[in-house]
């Protein structure tokens, strides 16, 4: 939990018998794990960008089975990643659940346990100066890797939370197929940035020095390396991504994307009580409703809501637009078709 700095892993819950779909998924993972281990695959930590304050850090990573570095097939896979790969390859790796991961950061060592999908999302105490740092992550039998961590200065009063699909990256596909297309088919170099959005976020980051930029999406952790390269290649400010692990949970058939966003919005508000957030999304999903709800609950924690308006064609493919209304509690709401128009609207209310 956000307030528990000493939680030893990514968050344990009282034991409940898992959903039937979750038990079936675990059975499939177990079969695949045994099969690839016989082929010489070993546990490997995939690090993701974390964040924190001068007193704690939130660490993200995933443990997968892959071929040891230096083998011919592992080198071929590395070259494919550099040249651009189809998204489906991100889903061919086998996660390792309930494995111990050692985290070294700020001169301290902590051992946590990955969840059943191999994901680690944990908050641990650490004394670090503001700026960029690295945490060293390792599992038994594998080489350590480094995860970047952004430590937010205590005087920071402004932050940015941005959606990804149709906000910083154009999808222009029927909503039911967007995730499947971007995840399984599209070459990562073919993904299109939303015009002007990178410039907008960079201008905001320059104006509000020390601002934390967080990319909050319902996308799967499998796509994190691809999305990280996309954001970097298109000059978006570096920042942590808060994604989710697709598939069944202990109590339901499929994870709730809406609940994922709500939970992380509230968590960020608790972790950084002095920061006022600019919430950026699009009108093709639930972003306007989610952001308005969060602003109503926390009017003192939201500077403004900025919504990218989909084109007529995009809106039809997305299943329509979410009606935008003025936010309660005097939180300003601006909108525009691209980053340039949103920048103009933010300028009119004095944020840019």
């Amino acid at each position: 939990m956000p307030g528990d700095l000493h939680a030893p892993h990514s968050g344990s819950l009282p034991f409940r018998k898992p959903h039937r779909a979750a038990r079936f998924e675990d059975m499939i993972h177990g079969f695949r794990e045994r099969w690839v281990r016989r082929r010489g695959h070993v546990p490997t930590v995939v690090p993701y960008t974390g964040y924190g304050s001068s007193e704690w850090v939130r660490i993200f990573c995933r443990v997968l089975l892959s071929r040891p570095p230096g083998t011919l097939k592992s080198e071929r896979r590395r070259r494919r990643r550099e040249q651009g790969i189809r998204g489906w390859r991100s889903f061919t790796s086998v996660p390792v659940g309930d494995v111990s991961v050692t985290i070294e950061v700020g001169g301290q060592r902590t051992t946590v346990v990955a969840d059943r999908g191999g994901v680690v999302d944990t908050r641990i105490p650490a004394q670090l100066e503001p700026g960029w740092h690295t945490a060293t992550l390792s599992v038994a039998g594998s080489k350590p890797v480094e995860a970047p961590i952004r430590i937010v200065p205590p005087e920071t009063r402004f932050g940015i939370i941005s959606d990804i699909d149709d906000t910083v990256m154009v999808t222009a596909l029927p909503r039911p197929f967007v995730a499947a297309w971007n995840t399984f088919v599209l070459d990562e170099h073919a993904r299109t940035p939303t015009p002007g959005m990178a410039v907008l976020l960079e201008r905001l980051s320059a104006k509000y020095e020390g601002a934390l930029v967080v990319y909050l999406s319902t996308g799967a952790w499998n796509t994190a390396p691809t999305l990280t390269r996309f954001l970097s290649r298109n000059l978006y400010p570096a920042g942590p991504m808060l994604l989710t692990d697709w598939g069944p949970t202990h109590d339901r058939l499929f994870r709730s994307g809406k609940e994922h966003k709500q939970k992380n919005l509230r968590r960020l508000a608790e972790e950084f009580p002095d920061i006022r957030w600019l919430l950026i999304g699009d009108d093709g999903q639930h972003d306007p409703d989610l952001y308005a709800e969060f602003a109503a609950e926390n009017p003192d924690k939201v500077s403004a809501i900025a919504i990218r308006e989909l084109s007529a064609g995009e809106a039809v493919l997305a299943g329509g637009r979410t009606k935008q209304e003025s936010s309660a509690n005097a939180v300003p709401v601006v909108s525009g078709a691209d980053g340039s128009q949103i920048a103009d609207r933010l300028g009119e209310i004095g944020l840019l």
Side-chain angles (χ1 to χ4, degrees):
M1 297 296 291
D4 183 6
L5 293 180
H6 302 281
H9 51 74
S10 55
S12 60
L13 294 172
F15 177 77
R16 292 176 301 181
K17 187 175 182 180
H19 190 282
R20 181 180 303 174
R23 298 199 302 272
F24 178 75
E25 182 185 51
D26 289 342
M27 182 183 68
I28 296 299
H29 283 332
F31 171 79
R32 296 181 65 209
E33 180 178 343
R34 291 189 295 272
W35 184 69
V36 298
R37 280 184 183 274
R38 288 197 295 267
R39 294 167 60 89
H41 288 58
V42 296
T44 303
V45 179
V46 180
Y48 308 133
T49 301
Y51 67 86
S53 74
S54 57
E55 298 179 347
W56 55 267
V57 293
R58 187 178 178 187
I59 302 291
F60 304 97
C61 69
R62 197 173 191 217
V63 185
L64 304 173
L65 286 172
S66 62
R67 293 185 179 279
T71 64
L72 179 60
K73 288 190 176 182
S74 70
E75 287 302 306
R76 287 175 178 171
R77 181 169 295 179
R78 180 185 61 81
R79 287 195 295 270
R80 283 200 300 266
R81 285 198 299 268
E82 293 173 350
Q83 296 167 0
I85 61 174
R86 301 289 177 182
W88 62 268
R89 293 187 183 275
S90 299
F91 284 77
T92 59
S93 298
V94 180
V96 185
D98 302 321
V99 64
S100 294
V101 179
T102 299
I103 302 171
E104 295 185 42
V105 60
Q108 299 184 37
R109 175 178 293 189
T110 305
T111 299
V112 300
V113 178
D115 69 14
R116 50 184 291 274
V119 175
V120 169
D121 173 0
T122 189
R123 174 173 155 166
I124 58 178
Q127 303 292 324
L128 297 172
E129 294 295 321
W132 285 96
H133 298 265
T134 58
T136 301
L137 314 176
S138 60
V139 294
S142 181
K143 290 185 177 181
V145 298
E146 292 187 340
I149 304 171
R150 171 69 193 285
I151 301 301
V152 181
E155 66 272 14
T156 297
R157 296 295 180 268
F158 182 84
I160 302 165
I161 299 174
S162 176
D163 181 39
I164 296 179
D165 280 334
D166 281 329
T167 301
V168 302
M169 179 172 65
V170 177
T171 52
L173 285 167
R175 183 63 61 188
F177 304 118
V178 167
W181 178 266
N182 281 324
T183 298
F184 298 109
V185 181
L186 195 64
D187 184 292
E188 65 178 70
H189 288 86
R191 299 169 191 261
T192 305
T194 302
M197 290 301 295
V199 175
L200 168 64
L201 294 185
E202 189 60 42
R203 287 180 62 191
L204 287 164
S205 297
K207 177 177 174 61
Y208 299 96
E209 186 176 357
L212 175 64
V213 181
V214 178
Y215 299 96
L216 175 58
S217 171
T218 57
W221 280 115
N222 306 64
T223 63
T226 297
L227 291 175
T228 299
R229 290 190 293 268
F230 168 85
L231 294 171
S232 176
R233 186 167 56 249
N234 290 285
L235 306 180
Y236 283 96
M241 288 185 292
L242 303 181
L243 306 178
T244 186
D245 189 18
W246 280 6
T249 67
H250 270 70
D251 57 358
R252 65 175 65 187
L253 181 62
F254 202 79
R255 286 165 173 77
S256 167
K258 182 178 179 180
E259 182 179 301
H260 165 70
K261 285 192 171 184
Q262 289 173 325
K263 178 181 176 181
N264 278 286
L265 284 170
R266 291 166 181 158
R267 176 167 182 166
L268 287 166
E270 293 175 7
E271 290 176 329
F272 300 103
D274 297 325
I275 290 183
R276 291 172 60 87
W277 299 93
L278 170 62
L279 309 177
I280 304 177
D282 66 85
D283 63 359
Q285 292 184 302
H286 302 293
D287 291 340
D289 292 338
L290 283 172
Y291 290 166
E293 177 185 339
F294 177 75
E297 294 176 356
N298 306 274
D300 59 328
K301 299 185 185 301
V302 181
S303 293
I305 298 171
I307 300 297
R308 185 210 166 211
E309 298 173 337
L310 303 186
S311 68
E314 289 173 333
V316 170
L317 292 171
R321 289 191 176 95
T322 300
K323 183 179 179 181
Q324 298 181 50
E325 300 178 355
S326 297
S327 177
N329 302 295
V331 173
V333 179
V334 302
S335 60
D338 54 31
S340 177
Q341 290 186 12
I342 293 175
D344 290 342
R345 304 292 88 78
L346 290 175
E348 293 171 0
I349 62 173
L351 279 184
L352 190 63

